[in-house]
Amino acid sequence: MTLDEKIKRINELYHKQKGVGLTEEEKEEQAKLRRDYIDSVRANLKGQLDNINIQEKDGSITNLAKKYGNKKKQ
């Protein structure tokens, strides 16, 4: 399933939830699709940030991935 298809299905489930309600299976599907979407957005953003270079005041170039990418979550 492509990202566009997932978004379309998320929206369909949202509108159904507001109208007649969702079954337990649909609630689980909605939660999984939302998690997949959020993970995709985070991965995309991380990929973009990892490719950013910043020029410091001293003229040196710092890559954000090398400076911040390897830190563990606390």
Side-chain angles (χ1 to χ4, degrees), residues 16-67:
K16 184 176 179 187
Q17 177 184 15
K18 291 297 178 186
V20 296
L22 298 176
T23 65
E24 286 302 315
E25 293 82 21
E26 289 171 329
K27 288 178 184 178
E28 291 173 13
E29 178 187 7
Q30 184 183 44
K32 182 186 180 315
L33 289 170
R34 286 178 173 174
R35 174 57 36 209
D36 289 348
Y37 175 76
I38 291 169
D39 291 344
S40 174
V41 169
R42 284 184 177 160
N44 186 323
L45 179 60
K46 183 179 180 330
Q48 290 178 17
L49 292 175
D50 286 349
N51 289 313
I52 293 177
N53 295 318
I54 297 178
Q55 184 171 4
E56 303 292 342
K57 290 181 181 179
D58 64 1
S60 64
I61 304 292
T62 302
N63 180 277
L64 290 181
K66 291 180 182 173
K67 186 173 182 179

